[in-house]
Amino acid sequence: NRRGEEAEAEFDGVTGKRVIDVARDRRPERYAVDEATRYMNKRIPGAAGELIDLSRHYGVGFVLIARRPARLHADAVELADRLVVFNVRGTNDKRRLNEEYDGLADVVVGLDQYEYAVVDDRGITTHDPVPLGDTTAEL
């Protein structure tokens, strides 16, 4: 499901079964949320809030991936373990990125297609896309 209550319910179900409602030793080290604006925009629904709480208390890092960072809820951005950011063009997106991390918009505006920036506790790093068919696990 792409939007609305159905998308939130699907997110809650998957996140609950894979992260929240499992024994601590079976939880993932990191949990990535692609298209995060679908689940964490104007408010943070059930499982997303639990995910943020787990990150702080139980060591489950979470990664947010979004094409429109201006639409992400501020708490989700501020508490994320990592942000993955592709090239953005929107004025609001650039402004939001620079509000969160000084100079981030300048970095991502210059990225080529499929290149991306990662923001974490070490700062901002840029990366080339994963080569097609790469199975070496040496990235």
Side-chain angles (χ1 to χ4, degrees):
N1 293 304
R2 299 185 65 87
R3 289 182 178 63
E5 292 178 16
E6 294 86 9
E8 287 181 16
E10 184 175 14
F11 181 82
D12 283 356
V14 171
T15 303
K17 288 178 184 173
R18 299 290 181 206
V19 183
I20 297 168
D21 298 328
V22 297
R24 187 173 182 173
D25 64 339
R26 298 200 59 198
R27 289 184 179 138
E29 186 175 315
R30 299 224 188 289
Y31 191 74
V33 179
D34 194 12
E35 300 293 348
T37 52
R38 292 184 184 162
Y39 316 106
M40 298 180 210
N41 48 34
K42 294 179 179 141
R43 63 184 184 85
I44 299 178
E50 288 292 318
L51 188 59
I52 289 170
D53 194 42
L54 282 171
S55 174
R56 291 184 300 145
H57 297 292
Y58 300 114
V60 176
F62 72 103
V63 179
L64 299 178
I65 305 167
R67 285 184 274 168
R68 298 300 313 267
R71 294 183 181 172
L72 279 171
H73 192 284
D75 287 348
V77 173
E78 291 172 5
L79 295 171
D81 186 43
R82 285 185 171 80
L83 295 176
V84 177
V85 185
F86 293 88
N87 185 316
V88 297
R89 300 203 189 310
T91 302
N92 292 332
D93 292 320
K94 290 187 253 185
R95 181 177 27 247
R96 173 69 183 278
L97 291 176
N98 279 334
E99 286 172 359
E100 297 296 335
Y101 301 96
D102 191 35
L104 179 56
D106 297 332
V107 171
V108 300
V109 165
L111 296 174
D112 289 331
Q113 186 176 19
Y114 304 119
E115 291 180 332
Y116 59 98
V118 174
V119 182
D120 59 20
D121 58 355
R122 294 172 292 183
I124 303 168
T125 55
T126 59
H127 303 270
D128 293 329
V130 175
L132 281 175
D134 187 328
T135 60
T136 64
E138 296 178 11
L139 301 174

